[in-house]
């Protein structure tokens, strides 16, 4: 049986297919310019190729994302 990990919906964590686990990212709502810093907690989660990331409810609400068309910009934050 496949075990599916769940995100804590109050956290600032995301799942992303190609970003390094435990890396920090800046997530921006291009519609209103709101942004926040989140952490990639997994890059091995399987989900539809249509999506490139999975966000928590807190991120959606904090950035005032349109749940029908939740466009975001994700930028990896380097240590330098």
């Amino acid at each position: 049986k496949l075990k599916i990990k769940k995100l804590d919906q109050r956290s600032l964590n995301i799942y992303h297919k190609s970003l390094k686990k435990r890396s920090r990212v800046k997530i921006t709502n291009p519609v209103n310019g709101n942004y926040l810093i989140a952490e990639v907690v997994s890059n091995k989660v399987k989900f539809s190729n249509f999506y490139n990331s999975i966000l928590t409810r807190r991120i959606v609400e904090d950035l005032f994302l349109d749940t029908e068309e939740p466009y975001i910009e994700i930028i990896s934050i380097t240590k330098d």
Side-chain angles (χ1 to χ4, degrees), residues 51-63:
Y51 302 102
N52 65 8
S53 61
I54 297 176
L55 309 175
T56 61
R57 173 64 48 195
R58 177 179 177 187
I59 293 172
V60 170
E61 291 172 354
D62 285 358
L63 295 181

Side-chain angles (χ1 to χ4, degrees), residues 11-77:
S11 73
L12 293 175
N13 298 327
I14 69 168
Y15 291 155
H16 195 282
K17 289 183 178 181
S18 59
L19 292 172
K20 185 176 178 183
K21 185 177 179 179
R22 295 192 191 110
S23 63
R24 298 230 181 253
V25 293
K26 177 181 176 182
I27 303 174
T28 304
N29 178 342
V31 173
N32 61 24
N34 290 350
Y35 69 91
L36 53 74
I37 305 301
E39 181 177 356
V40 178
V41 292
S42 180
N43 57 6
K44 295 184 180 184
V45 175
K46 301 215 182 301
F47 50 90
S48 168
N49 286 332
F50 180 76
Y51 302 102
N52 65 8
S53 61
I54 297 176
L55 309 175
T56 61
R57 173 64 48 195
R58 177 179 177 187
I59 293 172
V60 170
E61 291 172 354
D62 285 358
L63 295 181
F64 301 99
L65 293 174
D66 179 349
T67 56
E68 297 297 315
E69 296 184 33
Y71 295 113
I72 57 172
E73 175 184 59
I74 300 176
I75 299 173
S76 181
I77 298 174

